[in-house]
Amino acid sequence: MSAWISLFQRYWPDFLKGAGITLELTFVGLLIGFVLGLLLALGKVYGSTWLRRLCTGYIEVFRGTPLLVQLFLIYYGLPSLGITLDQSTAAYAALGLNSAAYQAEYLRGAIVAIGESQMIAGRSIGMSRWQTIFQIILPQALRLALPAWSNEPISLLKTTGVVFLIAVQDLMAKGKRAAAASYNPIGAYLAVAVVYLGLVFLLTLVLKWAERRTKIPGFEMETKSS
Amino acid sequence: MTEPILRIRNLTKKYADKVIFQHIDLEVKSGDTIVIIGPSGTGKSTLLRCINLLTRPNEGQIFLNGEEITAKGINEDHVRQRIGMVFQNFLLFNHLTALENVKLGLTKVRHMKAEEAEVKAISHLKRVGLSEHMDKYPGQLSGGQQQRVGIARALAMDPEIMLFDEPTSALDPELIGEVLEVMRDLSKSGMTMVVVTHEMGFAREVADSIIFMERGSIVEEGSPEELFEHAHFPRTREFLGKISELYGKKEKKGE
């Protein structure tokens, strides 16, 4: 136990730096994934036949292949097509593109659940289709999606660990270095696990807070009964 | 003879092979209240949705104040801004308060300033007797209150005509009265209204003309007195008899 504490004491600035990178990866990946995922969800619900197919295809491919394969294709594969990305950019891209597929499904489910009747309501006062989507459907769908969608930031935060394989200096990479340098893999990886756990705990608090903040009186009841 | 505010010519709606209604002709004069009655599944609601272009008819034309709104290339959004619609299930925006529900169209569609829109929205909510509930969300309002917000939301857009699609069918009996009262006042104030309803007391008292629809056609049209006392067709008499027995008593009790 004391060995473990001294390991922690020795490497905590390193872990802290790594945790910062991990949070950055999570945040950027989540943001890219959200924007792209929202477009995919809207395309899948409201798009023309070919657009729906395109979106479905994207989602199936990115959910159906390992993130690591996607990461290696982007980092090691793209240069042969003349596109060379640095490590962080490749990591952001892979995480974002991958997360988009999952987020699209959370958002699509919620948009479908809000239903066609709110669209009719919006159109009936003369709003256009897109106005109704942005003013009426999405504000409700995003609230509805939030509890299930909350899995994604948590899952993504842990998934970012794979990027150490292209030498991004995230928490996992720092842990690997500490393990090698201290000859104490159990201690090092346990320490990393504790930091991950702490990050997830903080993230969970933020998500719970967001859920409370966006709550609308009587809204859950309404969507359940209709 | 002035141009009727709404003129429907030879309107037909089909889904695949199923005819919803066909060859409907109808004229509504400015300030009139027209009540459409008939058994369910006879295309009354679909007819209203066609007038509002929420559904496209297969054949025929609709004119609003002389302008053909079924013409090709017409801006549907602009047409709907001129027509108010009240739905059976209220269809309020669930994430907005009563006030915001009424305000949204004014700011986003009419592009009014926020303060101006708020004043207007408040006055319309007052008109339907909801000044005390303006900051409540739909989930916190009773069905009757929700429907009155729905009416205020449509009215705030200054429509040329108001369509009501069974506005009281989803309400508990004790809440029907408050909604009908608002509609009665509205009719008296000179609003042009087309109302699909089973409320025979309301039809009798308020309608300038009643239309009896069955199996996708207009069977008979006339003043309340003509239809209730001297209907031409046995089918009209039979329907009115049944429905008055069912709904008329309930309404009397409520009053």
Side-chain angles (χ1 to χ4, degrees), chain B residues 74-92:
Chain B
I74 196 121
N75 185 325
E76 292 184 6
D77 298 333
H78 288 171
V79 171
R80 287 197 203 96
Q81 288 164 22
R82 302 163 56 191
I83 303 175
M85 179 104 175
V86 174
F87 300 93
Q88 182 175 0
N89 298 319
F90 328 133
L91 300 192
L92 296 183

Side-chain angles (χ1 to χ4, degrees), chain B residues 188-221:
Chain B
K188 276 188 200 136
S189 77
M191 175 57 76
T192 312
M193 295 161 59
V194 178
V195 185
V196 171
T197 186
H198 294 300
E199 296 294 335
M200 290 304 131
F202 174 83
R204 213 168 169 148
E205 186 195 338
V206 178
D208 295 290
S209 173
I210 298 180
I211 289 164
F212 174 57
M213 259 180 92
E214 187 170 48
R215 277 185 246 123
S217 303
I218 293 177
V219 176
E220 197 164 354
E221 177 177 2

Side-chain angles (χ1 to χ4, degrees), chain B residues 31 33-34 83 91 98 124 153 155 158 166 170 182 187 203 206 211 214 223 229 239:
Chain B
T33 295
I34 307 294
I83 303 175
L91 300 192
H124 278 284
R153 179 176 74 182
L155 277 180
D158 294 324
E166 302 205 27
V182 167
S187 173
V206 178
I211 289 164
E214 187 170 48
S223 70
E229 314 296 341
F239 177 81

Side-chain angles (χ1 to χ4, degrees), chain A residues 214-222, chain B residues 94 135-140:
Chain A
T214 56
K215 204 169 171 167
I216 289 172
F219 178 59
E220 304 83 350
M221 232 168 53
E222 187 67 28
Chain B
N94 291 319
D135 295 322
K136 287 189 182 162
Y137 287 93
Q140 299 170 304

Side-chain angles (χ1 to χ4, degrees), chain A residues 116-127 132 136, chain B residues 54 85 87 90-93 153:
Chain A
E116 193 57 23
S117 60
Q118 287 286 314
M119 176 62 89
I120 290 172
R123 301 301 302 274
S124 82
I125 59 166
M127 284 199 285
T132 309
I136 309 297
Chain B
L54 288 169
M85 179 104 175
F87 300 93
F90 328 133
L91 300 192
L92 296 183
F93 308 133
R153 179 176 74 182

